[in-house]
Structures are given as structure tokens and as C-alpha cells.
Amino acid sequence: MTATSPAVEGWFTTGAEPALVGSRCTTCASTFFPRVQGFCRNPQCPGEEFEDTELSRRGRVWSYTDAQYQPPPPYIPATDPYEPFALAAVELPEGIVVLGQVAAGYGVADLTVGREVELVVETLYVDESGERTIWRWKPVIELGEEVDQ
Ligand SMILES: [Zn+2]
């Protein structure tokens, strides 16, 4: 039996409008991703309780890089031979920066600091039990912008 499921359970929702799932402190409303437990990471806050919160689906590129060499295990290459991919650090309106791969078909040439990107869920790899998915950042194409793909 095969099925499609997230490569990491509980880190993001799936469906037409997927979203990352973070933790929001019930005391100071600071938001964290990945989810946290225990004590609030805000040093000014004594809070110890969190609620799950879906993060904004759009953010702006804060930094980005190109992974020209295959990362070491436990990285699972999606292709053989390895194909370089781009990584983007994206600042969300919540004030946190979330690292992710850039969506299939896009590379560093499509990125600039400050560019708006949107969360998508794509296949990370396929094994005998099915398809595993992960979140990625897809550049938002503004109306009127040249699309050269
Ligand atoms: Zn707090």
C-alpha cells in the first residue's frame, strides 16, 4: 500500500492552501517554528503554554543560497545523480525566519532579497510506502511581470 504523507509529521498542513504549523505563546503571543514545548523562548516572558497556530503562507526572502553539493545523511537525495537546489530563508509577518527549499522549477536566479514567496507542498522523495512531501517556497509572480520560463 502506498500513500502520500508529509515527510515530517505535524510541521505543516496539506490541502489546497497548505500552511506551516507553529506554536504561539498564550502569554506573550510570540510565535515559534518548529513547534516548541516547555518554556517561552522570549526571555522577557514567563509563559509555559502554547497553542498551535498556522503561520502566514506568504513571506519575503530574507536570504538564499544554492546547494551545489549533496548534503550528508540523513539527507535523502530526490534524484540520482544529485541535482542542485536553492534554499531560501523567508521572513514571515510573524517575525520569524523559516528555511526551506525553493519550489521545483525555480532557482537562485528567480530570487532576490525582499521578493515575496508563497508556501507550497511538493514531493520530497518517493519510497516503497509512497510519496513524502515537504514545504517549499515558490516565488510569487506579480501581475504584469515577465515570466521567462
Ligand atoms: Zn511568551
Side-chain angles (χ1 to χ4, degrees):
M1 191 181 123
T2 63
T4 298
S5 63
V8 282
E9 200 61 51
W11 285 42
F12 57 93
T13 65
T14 56
E17 298 207 326
L20 297 172
V21 178
S23 297
R24 180 165 49 211
C25 175
T26 58
T27 304
C28 72
S30 290
T31 302
F32 304 94
F33 178 85
R35 286 189 288 186
V36 295
Q37 287 185 319
F39 63 96
C40 183
R41 273 55 171 176
N42 172 0
Q44 265 84 53
C45 174
E48 294 184 347
E49 285 183 25
F50 301 91
E51 55 192 11
D52 286 352
T53 180
E54 290 191 8
L55 306 183
S56 300
R57 302 192 53 245
R58 285 191 176 195
R60 294 199 176 270
V61 174
W62 180 74
S63 185
Y64 58 90
T65 189
D66 216 0
Q68 289 289 345
Y69 298 97
Q70 182 169 317
Y75 176 79
I76 298 170
T79 55
D80 186 18
Y82 171 75
E83 284 176 16
F85 57 87
L87 285 166
V90 174
E91 184 166 33
L92 300 179
E94 288 86 346
I96 52 179
V97 173
V98 178
L99 197 65
Q101 285 186 38
V102 176
Y106 295 89
V108 287
D110 302 299
L111 301 176
T112 51
V113 170
R115 173 145 201 186
E116 188 170 30
V117 293
E118 180 176 55
L119 188 100
V120 295
V121 168
E122 295 184 337
T123 301
L124 178 64
Y125 63 91
V126 178
D127 63 17
E128 62 282 350
S129 65
E131 194 178 313
R132 296 292 164 265
T133 58
I134 197 72
W135 77 89
R136 288 186 179 152
W137 297 114
K138 181 179 173 183
V140 173
I141 306 297
E142 307 289 349
L143 279 177
E145 189 175 338
E146 291 286 318
V147 180
D148 57 354
Q149 300 193 44

